Amino acid sequence: LGAFPGGFGTLEELFEVLTLVQTSKSRPVPVILFGSEFWKKLINFELLIEEGTISRKDLGLFHYTDDPAEAWALIKKHYEIGEKT
């Protein structure tokens, strides 16, 4: 899932996917948040950890990036796409 800056619909879809993966109701998928500055200002995940509503390991459910090449590398790594050694 690639999420770009957006409004309520974007947030709803993002949190739906994160919740399904977090609770093992869906198999893991790469969740990539494009626009690091936007997402870090919008959602304070550290506060959620401090309040005990998510665990620190849940931060591994998504990645921030501003670089399409990095996003593609994350996708390839997740799905083990590429050259076999």
Side-chain angles (χ1 to χ4, degrees):
L1 169 75
F4 291 83
F8 292 140
T10 301
L11 292 172
E12 189 277 326
E13 291 173 4
L14 170 64
F15 285 122
E16 182 71 22
V17 170
L18 288 174
T19 300
L20 290 171
V21 172
Q22 179 199 43
T23 60
S24 300
K25 305 253 188 262
S26 174
R27 67 181 95 145
V29 296
V31 176
I32 302 168
L33 305 178
F34 286 91
S36 301
E37 184 177 339
F38 173 84
W39 291 108
K40 289 178 182 178
K41 285 171 70 175
L42 179 66
I43 305 168
N44 185 346
F45 287 106
E46 289 296 327
L47 175 64
L48 296 176
I49 293 168
E50 290 170 18
E51 294 294 322
T53 57
I54 67 170
S55 69
R56 181 149 307 275
K57 71 179 175 99
D58 291 330
L59 296 181
L61 297 174
F62 62 89
H63 304 276
Y64 297 107
T65 190
D66 300 303
D67 179 13
E70 180 182 11
W72 178 235
L74 290 166
I75 292 166
K76 289 190 326 185
K77 179 178 179 183
H78 179 83
Y79 291 109
E80 299 178 351
I81 299 170
E83 295 180 31
K84 303 284 182 187
T85 55

